[in-house]
Amino acid sequence: MTALVRSELIKAFSTRTAWAMPLAMFLVTALFTAIGGFFLVYAELPVAGTTIRARDTMDEAVLVRMVYTGAVQMGYLLTLVLGILAMGSEYRHRTLTATLQAVPRRGRMIVGKVLGLVVVVLVNGLAHVTAALLAGGAVLLSADLSVAPDPGDLVLTMLRLLLVLVLWGLIGFGLGVLIPNQVVALFVGVAFAFIVEPLLGFGITFWDAVADAARFFPSQATMSTLNIFDGADAATTQALGGAENPLAWWAGALVLLAYAALMTAVGWLLTARRDVA
Amino acid sequence: MDLPAPLRTVGAALEATGFHPGRSGRDHLRSLAATHRIPDARADELLELVGIPAAARKRAGGYSMGMRQRLQLAAALLGDPQVLLLDEPANGLDPEGIRWMRGFLRHLAHDQGKTVLISSHLLAEVEQTVEDVVIIANGHLVREGTMDALHGEPAALVRSPEPELLVRALDRAGLAASPLPEQGPDALQVRTPELARVGEVALATGRPVHELRGMRTDLERLFLELTDTPEHRNRNLGAPHTPAPTNPEETSR
């Protein structure tokens, strides 16, 4: 299996995506962390004829976590794309024939690809975390706030950030297996993650019977996994966009993993008996 | 049957295989080699062997058809397999490349004792390269044998303005001759490999000869003859006369 992972890593690091993606990840993350951070730290809200600073409405720990994870949506969008490309490019450039000649058992091929993808996403995740710490730290410093009021909590948040990025990479992989057409898979993945799912999650809050299901949606499960609102009261959490009754962080991670596994399994079942080309 | 290391048993260069345009040919080979723990040095050795060591370090998007064929061949040889399966290996090669490919495949078969299976529609090329032929039409085997056996018995084609008289003269000399209308009204087919005897008979009996040459069934003609029956006509081109029978028993030999 290490041989298969090595093969996948050679593939992943022999195209321009190898350095272009971490670079894009770094720049996008720095930009969105800075914009989101400035809003959190400096925005003022009108309350009862006067204004209060947004940051005064929340716990310092929550504020710091929100600043450092401000670009998580951009981050998981990019790792979603990485996951789709891991499978999609094999179909698109018809390299799958050669891959399957060397590794005819599709199950082994998929496991090798998943492990290789985890390494690739971690490399990109490090670019994300580095940019988030630099940009988020700069914003906090500029407002004379502590960069790391609780270093242990910060490390934990960054690890959870990496976990979320890996899980979204796996969701992308599942999508790539499920939809062999790479262009369609990219379109569906991005459109769903950024348009359909948030609208749907917002929409069903008006329908009491199923409103609770929203916390199982990928974006809500992601927020639960990051555990941003740990220690904040329910009213503050909801005011900041958190779920009313969020999942535990590990439950959120399992929900994301389940999405990835389900799509991979269905995709595998659909394609296992199909001719490659 | 499951092969633990398939690349070491059979190497295949299939038409459907592609390359990532952003990845170099060398990295393509390395990624395949890694699955079998084949060292990178083997990839470099093969790139040298197929003649594209420098080009293989560039991105595959700019490769010509000929370079892709050479790269595919190198990929098929990675595990030094005993059996090679090549789909249209000469497609897209320039004349020099075709000659190189012919020589290289012969070298693999004769000097290294490998079994090389080629599927191709370039019949004139196949004729010069292979020893055994299998002709398949619409998924059914229609003929198999050595190249020599398929060529059939050698014969002579002779043209004369007095074909009937020449047939009789050849008959008396013990040579079986028959008219060959598809070559024209003056053409005869003589079942002998000895052109000289035909010429001598004609001279001795005073029959003028306008042409005299050896005739062998070439692969292309044999192929067209064999596949010109309704059940073997290429079904992808539609059925001009009668539809192909769907019952496989009707097409069995």
Side-chain angles (χ1 to χ4, degrees):
Chain A
M1 189 48 75
T2 55
L4 298 193
V5 176
R6 214 177 84 77
S7 168
E8 290 303 325
L9 291 180
I10 290 173
K11 283 182 202 167
F13 292 116
S14 58
T15 65
R16 287 177 184 171
T17 319
W19 53 264
M21 201 56 140
L23 184 67
M25 182 68 104
F26 184 89
L27 296 176
V28 166
T29 304
L31 183 68
F32 278 77
T33 306
I35 293 173
F38 267 100
F39 178 80
L40 284 165
V41 168
Y42 293 109
E44 300 193 335
L45 308 168
V47 174
T50 172
T51 58
I52 58 164
R53 289 187 305 182
R55 75 183 197 223
D56 292 336
T57 64
M58 62 185 100
D59 216 36
E60 189 189 26
V62 174
L63 173 73
V64 169
R65 283 190 216 116
M66 285 191 79
V67 168
Y68 283 123
T69 60
V72 65
Q73 268 113 349
M74 297 315 293
Y76 70 59
L77 174 74
L78 290 182
T79 60
L80 180 80
V81 168
L82 276 175
I84 292 172
L85 292 180
M87 196 65 215
S89 79
E90 293 260 12
Y91 281 110
R92 180 168 166 75
H93 303 299
R94 295 184 304 152
T95 49
L96 190 57
T97 313
T99 300
L100 284 174
Q101 278 169 34
V103 192
R105 305 264 295 274
R106 296 192 190 190
R108 294 192 67 214
M109 178 202 74
I110 284 180
V111 174
K113 277 197 172 299
V114 164
L115 295 178
L117 177 65
V118 169
V119 176
V120 173
V121 171
L122 283 177
V123 169
N124 283 269
L126 285 178
H128 180 90
V129 166
T130 309
L133 288 175
L134 288 176
V139 169
L140 291 173
L141 271 182
S142 74
D144 278 332
L145 291 165
S146 168
V147 175
D150 181 350
D153 187 66
L154 183 59
V155 170
L156 217 57
T157 302
M158 291 300 114
L159 288 177
R160 289 193 180 123
L161 198 50
L162 283 177
L163 176 65
V164 161
L165 295 178
V166 168
L167 290 171
W168 275 85
L170 297 183
I171 289 177
F173 183 80
L175 208 55
V177 176
L178 191 62
I179 307 176
N181 186 321
Q182 178 180 291
V183 178
V184 174
L186 284 172
F187 181 79
V188 168
V190 173
F192 185 83
F194 267 65
I195 301 164
V196 179
E197 195 255 22
L199 283 178
L200 211 61
F202 180 68
I204 71 167
T205 56
F206 297 105
W207 185 13
D208 284 342
V210 293
D212 219 26
R215 64 196 176 130
F216 293 103
F217 280 27
S219 63
Q220 299 276 5
T222 300
M223 288 308 157
S224 304
T225 308
L226 287 175
N227 214 11
I228 292 174
F229 304 112
D230 188 28
D233 59 77
T236 315
T237 303
Q238 272 185 280
L240 293 172
E244 185 184 350
N245 190 11
L247 299 166
W249 75 266
W250 54 267
L254 285 179
V255 167
L256 292 180
L257 190 62
Y259 281 115
L262 187 73
M263 283 194 289
T264 307
V266 172
W268 185 9
L269 285 177
L270 289 179
T271 56
R273 300 249 158 241
R274 201 186 290 165
D275 279 350
V276 170
Chain B
M1 186 179 65
D2 267 0
L3 300 171
L7 294 189
R8 297 195 189 279
T9 308
V10 53
L14 306 179
E15 215 173 15
T17 313
F19 306 106
H20 191 299
R23 188 177 294 135
S24 77
R26 182 172 178 270
D27 285 333
H28 176 81
L29 287 191
R30 285 176 61 230
S31 78
L32 295 176
T35 60
H36 284 56
R37 299 182 197 282
I38 296 166
D40 291 355
R42 170 73 179 158
D44 287 325
E45 177 194 327
L46 284 166
L47 289 171
E48 197 82 45
L49 203 61
V50 301
I52 51 170
R57 288 174 183 269
K58 298 200 179 92
R59 286 149 46 88
Y63 288 2
S64 67
M65 192 67 193
M67 286 171 66
R68 286 163 188 269
Q69 290 282 21
R70 288 166 191 252
L71 188 54
Q72 283 220 17
L73 194 58
L77 285 166
L78 270 177
D80 197 19
Q82 186 57 32
V83 178
L84 279 178
L85 258 168
L86 310 175
D87 187 11
E88 300 281 9
N91 248 11
L93 289 178
D94 55 34
E96 187 269 329
I98 289 180
R99 203 166 79 170
W100 169 84
M101 180 72 78
R102 205 186 290 151
F104 189 63
L105 295 181
R106 280 223 192 89
H107 162 74
L108 292 175
H110 292 167
D111 306 338
Q112 300 196 5
K114 293 185 193 304
T115 304
V116 184
L117 289 166
I118 297 173
S119 74
S120 179
H121 287 109
L122 300 174
L123 299 180
E125 180 55 36
V126 167
E127 204 155 18
Q128 295 184 60
T129 318
V130 307
E131 277 128 39
D132 298 282
V133 180
V134 174
I135 298 179
I136 295 171
N138 287 339
H140 291 282
L141 177 73
V142 293
R143 182 68 71 85
E144 67 179 313
T146 64
M147 199 70 236
D148 286 340
L150 290 190
H151 276 318
E153 279 177 47
L157 179 139
V158 57
R159 255 181 233 283
S160 169
E162 302 164 354
E164 296 88 359
L165 295 174
L166 184 56
V167 168
R168 255 176 265 154
L170 288 166
D171 245 9
R172 279 196 296 275
L175 291 170
S178 53
L180 201 60
E182 74 223 49
Q183 291 284 342
D186 57 346
L188 300 174
Q189 182 182 11
V190 193
R191 286 211 200 90
T192 175
E194 297 169 80
L195 300 184
R197 275 196 67 201
V198 179
E200 280 158 14
V201 170
L203 179 65
T205 52
R207 305 290 157 223
V209 166
H210 292 174
E211 185 180 356
L212 175 58
R213 62 176 161 94
M215 214 174 80
R216 300 215 302 174
T217 311
D218 63 20
L219 201 52
E220 181 178 293
R221 213 174 109 181
L222 181 68
F223 181 84
L224 293 176
E225 272 170 24
L226 286 172
T227 54
D228 196 32
T229 51
E231 72 267 28
H232 290 142
R233 204 184 301 280
N234 189 340
R235 61 178 160 226
N236 296 331
L237 300 179
H241 304 310
T242 48
T246 45
N247 184 350
E249 276 164 21
E250 288 177 39
T251 58
S252 64
R253 292 144 294 136

